[in-house]
Amino acid sequence: MSAFTPASEVILRHSDEFTARNVLFAGDLQDDLPAQLETASSRVHTQQYHHWQNLSRRLGEQATFSLIARADDVAGCDTLVYYWPKNKPEAQFQLQNLLSLLPTGCDIFVVGENRSGVRSAEGMLDAWAKMEKIDSARRCGLYHGRLDTQPGFDPDRFGHTYPLDDLTIHTLPGVFSRDGLDMGSDLLLSTLTPHTKGKVLDVGCGSGVLATVLAQHSPKVRLWLCDVHAAALEASKATLAANGLEGDVFASNVFSDVTGRFDLILSNPPFHDGMQTSLDAAQALIRGALKHLNSGGELRIVANAFLPYPQILDEAFGNHEVLAQTGRFKVYRAVYGRGAKAR
């Protein structure tokens, strides 16, 4: 990437501050500033696979992707630069994890867009570090403090479950629809029929709810689930295990790490990357599905009704149908082999 996010532009206003520091970058990293900012050394920890893919090309083993940071991931760092995500529980999970590993006395910089709720950093960290706002630009705030006391960190405290009929769904901070089934997924699930067979891929699996409900009434399906978010992967594994199901759960930026072809691809695709609206993932999903569907296989997605997916579906598959709709959502179905433009 060449363009920097507003948050990174604020960090650049203070670039001289970091030249002699051993910096750990973490949080909602959406550009390659950690690979470009002049520092004594730079490390990255991210829960987002696509961000890791980008940064690891430049930083190699100094960039790590996992749900929980370990001591080796922060070794030697004396400064944390944390990019605030849009989800406050996710920020609490990540910051508590990181600060439990970093040495007391280390400097903490927290940056984020004002609309993301970055102002909460002062209160959230108050027990461990006194944070002070030191800059405001590009509709972002930059906060600084020093770690006085290491927090404890127990990842099990952050887990959450909710019942869905006779199923148990596991979620974690940052996973889409953490507190219950969202209306879009509910509409998509209403279109699934019992006795489905074959290989099923759930792209952007989140808590694994789509694949789990399908497998409950179609036990002959074979499941593959992928997501970019480490928390989603962990939640999906826990959801499958809690309901006695098996499936291959793995990290993939849409189809980046997907191999083979499937009879059904399901998704409730995101249309945001952090705070920014982005249709890139959904467009990549629709166009890329052609390479990963068996003949007669189908792509079935749910999306906000205002999004321009019908045109993209018709360009890729030749046609599509709407299986269900409400005032807010539509469920689209497109079949490979009915006018699809193979590539």
Side-chain angles (χ1 to χ4, degrees):
M1 297 182 183
S2 57
F4 292 123
T5 63
S8 285
E9 290 178 351
V10 175
I11 293 294
L12 282 169
R13 287 160 57 95
H14 302 264
S15 57
D16 291 346
E17 182 72 45
F18 300 99
T19 54
R21 295 179 179 271
N22 300 293
V23 183
L24 172 67
F25 295 88
D28 191 21
L29 300 159
Q30 295 184 41
D31 57 35
D32 61 359
L33 179 70
Q36 297 199 44
L37 189 67
E38 184 181 350
T39 65
S41 68
S42 293
R43 286 177 173 263
V44 166
H45 179 266
T46 178
Q47 293 182 349
Q48 299 285 347
Y49 187 63
H50 56 316
H51 297 163
W52 173 82
Q53 285 178 312
N54 175 45
L55 290 163
S56 65
R57 296 186 191 105
R58 300 282 299 277
L59 295 172
E61 293 183 357
Q62 299 306 304
T64 56
F65 162 74
S66 63
L67 174 63
I68 299 171
R70 306 294 181 187
D72 288 349
D73 300 327
V74 308
C77 294
D78 55 35
T79 301
L80 172 65
V81 175
Y82 182 79
Y83 285 70
W84 191 267
K86 65 180 180 180
N87 183 287
K88 185 176 178 180
E90 183 177 16
Q92 180 137 25
F93 181 101
Q94 294 173 353
L95 283 167
Q96 213 163 318
N97 174 201
L98 295 167
L99 296 179
S100 73
L101 301 170
L102 288 164
T104 55
C106 78
D107 284 276
I108 304 167
F109 294 85
V110 177
V111 65
E113 294 190 37
N114 294 327
R115 60 178 175 156
S116 72
V118 68
R119 297 179 183 89
S120 300
E122 290 179 284
M124 182 183 293
L125 298 182
D126 187 61
W128 314 305
K130 304 302 179 186
M131 304 296 293
E132 178 184 0
K133 191 173 188 178
I134 61 171
D135 200 0
S136 181
R138 304 286 285 130
R139 298 179 180 175
C140 293
L142 175 63
Y143 297 79
H144 171 260
R146 285 189 175 86
L147 183 62
D148 297 318
T149 304
Q150 286 180 318
F153 177 66
D154 179 3
D156 294 337
R157 285 187 54 247
F158 292 88
H160 176 70
T161 62
Y162 66 87
L164 183 62
D165 297 326
D166 58 348
L167 298 172
T168 299
I169 309 301
H170 283 256
T171 66
L172 283 164
V175 177
F176 175 66
S177 196
R178 175 174 176 257
D179 297 321
L181 185 66
D182 63 284
M183 292 185 289
S185 294
D186 189 36
L187 186 65
L188 175 56
L189 289 172
S190 74
T191 69
L192 298 176
T193 55
H195 313 303
T196 300
K197 299 178 181 179
K199 297 173 62 178
V200 177
L201 174 65
D202 182 353
V203 178
C205 56
S207 63
V209 64
L210 297 180
T212 298
V213 172
L214 175 64
Q216 180 194 37
H217 60 59
S218 298
K220 292 187 178 181
V221 296
R222 289 172 289 159
L223 300 176
W224 283 259
L225 297 81
C226 65
D227 205 294
V228 293
H229 199 320
L233 300 175
E234 195 66 28
S236 286
K237 291 175 183 177
T239 296
L240 291 177
N243 297 286
L245 300 171
E246 294 183 355
D248 186 359
V249 183
F250 60 99
S252 183
N253 181 10
V254 193
F255 294 114
S256 69
D257 290 63
V258 174
T259 57
R261 291 181 176 268
F262 300 85
D263 301 296
L264 173 64
I265 297 176
L266 291 172
S267 187
N268 183 352
F271 62 98
H272 290 96
D273 190 355
M275 295 297 298
Q276 310 305 319
T277 298
S278 174
L279 304 182
D280 293 349
Q283 292 193 45
L285 169 70
I286 293 170
R287 300 187 193 283
L290 299 174
K291 297 179 181 178
H292 293 284
L293 284 171
N294 290 319
S295 180
E298 69 167 275
L299 171 68
R300 191 176 301 200
I301 63 174
V302 63
N304 289 68
F306 68 86
L307 295 171
Y309 296 156
Q311 178 182 348
I312 303 169
L313 285 162
D314 286 345
E315 289 173 355
F317 284 84
N319 54 63
H320 74 278
E321 57 185 305
V322 177
L323 297 181
Q325 61 182 309
T326 64
R328 289 185 58 193
F329 299 100
K330 290 184 179 180
V331 177
Y332 300 103
R333 177 178 184 259
V335 179
Y336 180 56
R338 297 181 183 174
K341 300 172 184 178
R343 293 174 183 161

